[in-house]
Amino acid sequence: MDIGNFSAKLEPFLLMGKSMKGAAAAKLVQDATTAPGVFVFSELLELPNIQELAKSEQHQKSYSLLQLFAYKTYQDYLKHKDQLPPLSAAQITKLKHLTIVSLAAERRILPYADLQQALEISNVRELEDLIIDAIYLDLLQGKLDQKEEQLEVTYTMGRDIEPGKLEQILAALKDWASTTAAVLTTLDNKISSIASETAARKLAEAEHEKVVQANLKEAFDKQKDKSLGGGSSMAGRRALYSLSDRNDSMDVDEPDTKGKNRKYVNLVSFFSALVNFTMLIVYVPDFVKIK
């Protein structure tokens, strides 16, 4: 929404207001409050010639009319009709648009029932047409929820500030700033807490992984040692079986065809038996262990 565009629409009336007084100034107020596209009036209110209308009994109602369009609502008009000049249809429509803007500035969700009461509109279709016109005039942005019968406001123009209300706005802004600061502090503390918990969890996971790896290494080393021990026992068993087979082969009787070789064969058999006996002494412990 371009506030500058609203101010530009008021500019011709500001130029004329600098030179107009009395009845002419009162007529200027009527024209400004009726003119299409003019929705801000504070600069016109501040002109000395317009300020003079408030002091004139004859034109005081015109000044009150300008105040009504600057920062009041349709309900204010209904309450103070006797202090105001009669409104044309165009003025009533504009005032209702401005009333919707005021309500939208206070709440994001506006039920149709509340709007109908504030604007004294009994027909829902008439209310929706009025809201749609306000959206097309760029006074507000929002969505009509016909199912829930409400107006969802996303943005609205700002109206002129009534005298004495500035202090209330500043107080509200200070409260909002304090609340925001408290929320930010809470969020910072929560983020710090989460960061600390995350770091502690990662450290615990690293320690756990270290212990697991150490346990795995110890188990692997023990299994390796056991495998090496079993290998030597198996080697002893193989040697023992080899010796048994060799002895069996030695027991085979060979034909004694040559007498001179018998002594040589007997000598070889003696030394083989001696070697076998020695190896039995070495490998019997492993063989017994395996058994």
Side-chain angles (χ1 to χ4, degrees):
M1 295 182 182
D2 189 0
I3 298 299
N5 184 49
F6 293 136
S7 298
K9 294 289 182 68
L10 183 66
E11 191 65 29
F13 298 97
L14 294 177
L15 294 174
M16 291 184 287
K18 293 178 180 179
S19 58
M20 292 182 176
K21 293 185 178 182
K27 179 65 168 56
L28 183 66
V29 169
Q30 284 285 345
D31 293 341
T33 53
T34 306
V38 180
F39 294 98
V40 292
F41 304 93
S42 60
E43 292 179 89
L44 188 61
L45 270 170
E46 293 170 358
L47 291 178
N49 290 342
I50 301 298
Q51 292 281 332
E52 288 293 324
L53 295 177
K55 302 175 183 178
S56 170
E57 184 177 351
Q58 182 180 1
H59 304 297
Q60 188 176 13
K61 289 185 177 181
S62 295
Y63 184 78
S64 297
L65 177 66
L66 191 57
Q67 286 180 312
L68 174 69
F69 277 85
Y71 38 72
K72 295 185 180 181
T73 66
Y74 186 70
Q75 286 296 315
D76 293 317
Y77 165 69
L78 296 178
K79 291 177 183 177
H80 305 288
K81 268 187 175 182
D82 55 337
Q83 302 173 17
L84 296 163
L87 299 185
S88 64
Q91 286 175 316
I92 289 176
T93 299
K94 179 183 287 192
L95 185 58
K96 287 184 177 181
H97 283 152
L98 291 171
T99 300
I100 296 173
V101 169
S102 293
L103 294 173
E106 296 174 358
R107 291 183 291 170
R108 193 181 71 85
I109 302 296
L110 293 174
Y112 282 2
D114 293 351
L115 290 170
Q116 287 178 278
Q117 182 178 358
L119 302 174
E120 288 199 345
I121 297 176
S122 58
N123 190 298
V124 172
R125 180 58 185 273
E126 182 182 350
L127 173 64
E128 289 181 339
D129 289 343
L130 190 68
I131 294 172
I132 291 170
D133 288 342
I135 293 173
Y136 277 117
L137 289 169
D138 211 22
L139 300 179
L140 58 88
Q141 294 175 2
K143 181 178 70 174
L144 292 174
D145 187 342
Q146 294 179 323
K147 182 178 179 181
E148 298 295 330
E149 294 191 341
Q150 62 186 20
L151 169 64
E152 298 177 4
V153 181
T154 57
Y155 193 80
T156 181
M157 65 165 283
R159 294 191 65 187
D160 299 316
I161 300 174
E162 186 177 358
K165 291 292 182 69
L166 184 60
E167 290 75 12
Q168 297 179 14
I169 294 174
L170 291 175
L173 289 174
K174 287 180 180 179
D175 290 342
W176 176 81
S178 299
T179 303
T180 303
V183 170
L184 290 175
T185 301
T186 302
L187 288 175
D188 289 340
N189 293 336
K190 188 65 175 177
I191 290 171
S192 299
S193 176
I194 292 173
S196 299
E197 291 175 1
T198 301
R201 185 174 66 254
K202 287 183 178 179
L203 181 61
E205 289 175 354
E207 291 295 330
H208 176 72
E209 182 66 20
K210 186 176 179 181
V211 171
V212 169
Q213 292 299 329
N215 291 338
L216 288 174
K217 186 177 183 303
E218 182 180 355
F220 177 78
D221 291 342
K222 288 181 178 179
Q223 185 65 31
K224 184 178 180 182
D225 293 341
K226 185 182 294 183
S227 298
L228 291 175
S232 61
S233 299
M234 185 62 71
R237 194 189 328 189
R238 289 197 189 102
L240 186 60
Y241 288 162
S242 177
L243 290 174
S244 300
D245 293 338
R246 192 177 299 173
N247 288 335
D248 292 341
S249 66
M250 289 296 181
D251 290 338
V252 176
D253 292 334
E254 297 181 0
D256 189 7
T257 57
K258 297 180 180 179
K260 68 176 182 179
N261 291 332
R262 183 178 293 281
K263 290 182 180 181
Y264 176 76
V265 171
N266 290 337
L267 184 61
V268 171
S269 298
F270 172 78
F271 280 108
S272 295
L274 181 62
V275 171
N276 290 341
F277 179 76
T278 303
M279 294 185 72
L280 281 171
I281 293 173
V282 173
Y283 288 105
V284 157
D286 286 337
F287 182 79
V288 173
K289 190 184 296 183
I290 293 170
K291 292 292 186 180

